[in-house]
């Protein structure tokens, strides 16, 4: 069933995108503040959604707000921070059942939109700013979140590779900023950042569900009528195919080494070649039938895991693996050998069809969840694209073997990052 987006401008720099599907019985309303990623503001912006989700003028403490959400058939209000390309996205989302499914005809959707707009635009300020006590709690939570990333060594290694590959560029900045900056934040700084974000952010409101979005549109139009707005443009720098050839090793107390290889393609998000790169990545290392999994992991036993992913926002390919220290160089060599297999058209029809089917199945599951659809369309909007998941399936189906080979030959190695034990792997 097609799940296409209908978008309209409702105010200065504010758009409402709607996806309506009868497969759902809930509605999800998300307000996304899209801001340029900048090291000086990443931390102070990152804490905002987690403060805003806890209260508002109508429900000035978390207990009151949660009690009201419980009354609305267990609705939820969440905050999140995302990164798409060179942009940091601050999100507040409200999810609840559609009005058609309430027991006594209660109007849940409009009430959720009112709560969401209140949380965003009418925070429960104390003396004109965020409550210092609440701020300290959320600072501790955000620091814990940042520091917990180091415990997941696979994610940590990928993030470090991106940081090194894009050193000095917005894309290399952690979406949460850094722990030291979070610890130093004051209520005055966070309050000033809040007002700046509301004034300057490009705002995308997304309504995903089975209901009527007209009430939501009216509530947000009215809510923003008196709000000073001077929105900035969404930025998205193009990544060229020119490589830097960086090798970097970090050492810490790990039981299993990690290696992440970063490749540049120079392919822009709107290029038709991006579809071929998606399928090429699936063949190369995106499925349990891929060349990296079957050959590097299974046949040669060089890695505990080995997978590839393609980031359309920057046109980059990443391969990450868990590997014994003694096998790092050999694993890297074999990862590159498998890439050459794709570049030289040395993959089978079965490998191509299995990858296409896996990719199709993955895309088809996006429409099963309001949250995954919201995430999909937000990415499309920020990158200036208009594909539905079903559109993407059709594009993938039209990719030929020659397209895959051509796409593979845009890939150039740029950065090699290794995380290993102290005193190990000295081949920097």
């Amino acid at each position: 069933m097609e799940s296409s987006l209908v978008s309209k401008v409702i105010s200065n720099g504010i758009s409402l995108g709607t996806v309506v599907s009868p497969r759902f019985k809930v509605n999800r309303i998300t307000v996304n503040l899209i801001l340029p990623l900048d090291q000086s503001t990443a931390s102070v912006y990152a804490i905002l959604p987690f403060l805003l989700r806890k209260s508002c003028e109508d429900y000035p403490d978390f207990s009151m707000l949660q009690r009201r959400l419980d009354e609305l058939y267990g609705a939820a209000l969440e905050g999140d921070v995302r990164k798409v390309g060179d942009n940091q996205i601050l999100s507040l989302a409200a999810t609840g059942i559609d009005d058609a499914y309430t027991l006594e005809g209660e109007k849940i959707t409009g009430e959720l939109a009112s709560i969401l707009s209140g949380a965003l635009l009418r925070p429960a300020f104390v003396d004109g700013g965020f409550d210092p006590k609440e701020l300290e709690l959320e600072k501790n939570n955000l620091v814990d979140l940042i520091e917990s990333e180091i415990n997941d060594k696979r994610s940590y290694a990928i993030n470090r590779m991106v940081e090194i590959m894009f050193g000095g560029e917005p894309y290399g900045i952690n979406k949460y900023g850094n722990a030291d900056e979070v610890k130093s934040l004051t209520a005055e700084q966070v309050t000033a950042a809040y007002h700046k974000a509301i004034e300057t952010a490009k705002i995308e409101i997304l309504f995903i569900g089975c209901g009527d979005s007209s009430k939501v549109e009216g509530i947000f139009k009215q809510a923003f009528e008196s709000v000073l707005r001077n929105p900035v443009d969404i930025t998205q720098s193009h990544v060229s195919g020119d490589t830097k050839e960086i090798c970097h090793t970090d050492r810490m107390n790990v039981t299993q080494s990690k290696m992440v290889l970063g490749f540049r393609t120079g392919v822009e998000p709107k290029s038709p070649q991006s579809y071929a790169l998606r399928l090429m990545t699936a063949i190369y290392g995106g499925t349990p039938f891929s060349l990296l999994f079957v050959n590097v992991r299974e046949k040669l036993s060089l890695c505990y895991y080995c997978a590839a992913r393609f980031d359309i926002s920057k046109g980059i390919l990443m391969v990450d693996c868990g590997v014994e220290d003694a096998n790092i160089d050999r694993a890297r060599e074999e990862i590159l050998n498998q890439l050459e297999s794709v570049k030289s058209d040395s993959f089978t029809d079965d490998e191509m069809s299995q990858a296409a089917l896996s990719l199709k199945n993955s895309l088809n599951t996006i429409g099963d969840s309001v949250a995954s659809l919201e995430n999909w369309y937000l990415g499309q909007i920020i990158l200036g694209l208009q594909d539905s998941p079903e559109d993407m399936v059709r594009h993938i189906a039209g990719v030929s073997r020659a397209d895959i080979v051509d796409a593979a030959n845009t890939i150039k190695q740029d950065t090699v990052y290794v995380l290993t034990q102290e005193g190990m792997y000295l081949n920097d």
Side-chain angles (χ1 to χ4, degrees):
M1 186 178 294
E2 198 77 26
S3 54
S4 57
L5 177 76
V6 177
S7 185
K8 64 192 296 186
V9 176
I10 65 170
S11 188
N12 183 19
I14 304 173
S15 297
L16 172 66
T18 303
V19 179
V20 177
S21 172
R23 78 180 69 183
F24 302 122
K25 291 181 171 59
V26 301
N27 299 308
R28 180 179 175 89
I29 312 163
T30 310
V31 183
N32 301 287
L33 277 63
I34 305 168
L35 294 152
L37 256 174
D38 188 286
Q39 192 66 62
S40 65
T41 57
S43 298
V44 70
Y45 280 158
I47 204 166
L48 291 176
F50 305 112
L51 283 167
L52 296 172
R53 70 178 176 179
K54 298 185 71 174
S55 62
C56 59
E57 287 181 359
D58 295 333
Y59 306 98
D61 65 54
F62 181 72
S63 296
M64 293 176 64
L65 177 57
Q66 190 59 51
R67 190 178 306 118
R68 181 56 182 147
L69 292 171
D70 290 341
E71 292 170 352
L72 296 173
Y73 293 80
L77 182 66
E78 307 161 287
D80 195 14
V81 182
R82 287 175 274 193
K83 178 171 79 170
V84 178
D86 297 333
N87 301 282
Q88 184 182 29
I89 300 99
L90 317 180
S91 300
L92 278 180
T95 307
I97 67 169
D98 185 60
D99 299 352
Y101 301 100
T102 60
L103 296 177
E104 299 181 6
E106 298 97 326
K107 302 302 180 184
I108 300 291
T109 304
E111 180 68 11
L112 281 181
S114 295
I115 291 173
L116 188 57
S117 67
L120 180 70
L121 298 176
R122 294 182 292 110
F125 281 161
V126 175
D127 297 326
F130 286 105
D131 184 342
K133 293 181 181 178
E134 291 295 332
L135 176 59
E136 285 303 312
L137 287 173
E138 291 307 319
K139 283 168 58 176
N140 291 336
N141 290 338
L142 186 54
V143 167
D144 288 345
L145 184 59
I146 293 170
E147 292 182 344
S148 71
E149 291 184 334
I150 205 168
N151 295 325
D152 182 348
K153 295 299 190 292
R154 182 174 186 179
S155 294
Y156 174 79
I158 292 171
N159 290 338
R160 279 288 288 144
M161 194 286 295
V162 171
E163 179 184 351
I164 293 162
M165 185 172 176
F166 291 90
E169 300 178 45
Y171 189 68
I173 300 169
N174 188 300
K175 65 181 179 180
Y176 297 125
N178 68 67
D180 289 338
E181 289 180 0
V182 172
K183 291 174 185 177
S184 69
L185 292 176
T186 66
E188 292 76 17
Q189 287 174 318
V190 177
T191 303
Y194 162 76
H195 289 300
K196 183 179 179 183
I198 293 296
E199 178 184 351
T200 63
K202 175 73 171 67
I203 298 178
E204 291 288 344
I205 303 169
L206 290 172
F207 177 94
I208 315 290
C210 61
D212 181 1
S213 65
S214 60
K215 182 71 171 176
V216 175
E217 178 182 343
I219 287 170
F220 278 100
K221 270 187 175 180
Q222 183 177 8
F224 277 100
E225 277 181 354
S226 59
V227 177
L228 175 65
R229 294 276 296 146
N230 184 25
V232 298
D233 292 330
I234 295 177
T235 59
Q236 184 58 44
S237 63
H238 171 58
V239 177
S240 74
D242 297 333
T243 58
K244 298 179 182 178
E245 298 184 3
I246 302 169
C247 293
H248 184 93
T249 301
D250 282 340
R251 296 178 176 84
M252 63 175 62
N253 185 22
V254 294
T255 56
Q256 179 189 112
S257 295
K258 310 293 181 185
M259 178 168 60
V260 188
L261 280 64
F263 302 84
R264 296 176 185 263
T265 69
V267 174
E268 299 186 35
K270 292 184 179 181
S271 169
Q273 204 163 39
S274 67
Y275 304 122
L277 277 166
R278 283 180 180 268
L279 184 51
M280 177 269 154
T281 303
I283 294 168
Y284 178 45
T287 75
F289 319 105
S290 67
L291 299 178
L292 292 181
F293 188 93
V294 170
N295 295 300
V296 182
R297 182 187 184 278
E298 295 294 297
K299 290 183 180 179
L300 298 176
S301 299
L302 291 175
C303 303
Y304 296 101
Y305 62 85
C306 190
R309 66 192 73 192
F310 175 59
D311 185 340
I312 189 175
S313 72
K314 303 301 285 187
I316 61 168
L317 180 79
M318 290 178 277
V319 175
D320 76 302
C321 61
V323 58
E324 291 290 341
D325 188 79
N327 290 331
I328 289 175
D329 288 329
R330 190 176 170 208
R332 175 183 172 186
E333 179 183 356
E334 193 55 40
I335 288 168
L336 296 177
N337 284 341
Q338 296 304 318
L339 179 58
E340 288 303 316
S341 294
V342 187
K343 289 184 175 184
S344 62
D345 197 3
S346 299
F347 53 93
T348 67
D349 289 340
D350 280 347
E351 288 165 340
M352 180 176 169
S353 62
Q354 286 175 340
L357 181 60
S358 177
L359 198 50
K360 177 182 177 181
N361 290 339
S362 178
L363 288 164
N364 284 337
T365 63
I366 291 172
D368 294 341
S369 158
V370 288
S372 59
L373 265 181
E374 183 262 325
N375 190 60
W376 171 271
Y377 279 112
L378 179 62
Q380 293 287 298
I381 290 167
I382 293 174
L383 298 178
L385 305 174
Q386 298 179 338
D387 287 335
S388 68
E390 294 82 4
D391 290 331
M392 185 62 71
V393 169
R394 288 189 284 269
H395 288 306
I396 295 298
V399 172
S400 68
R401 173 180 283 272
D403 293 333
I404 293 168
V405 173
D406 288 344
N409 279 283
T410 67
I411 297 170
K412 301 175 184 177
Q413 185 177 328
D414 183 279
T415 301
V416 179
Y417 171 77
V418 174
L419 175 64
T420 190
Q421 298 178 57
E422 294 284 349
M424 302 296 287
Y425 189 63
L426 303 179
N427 190 23
D428 286 357

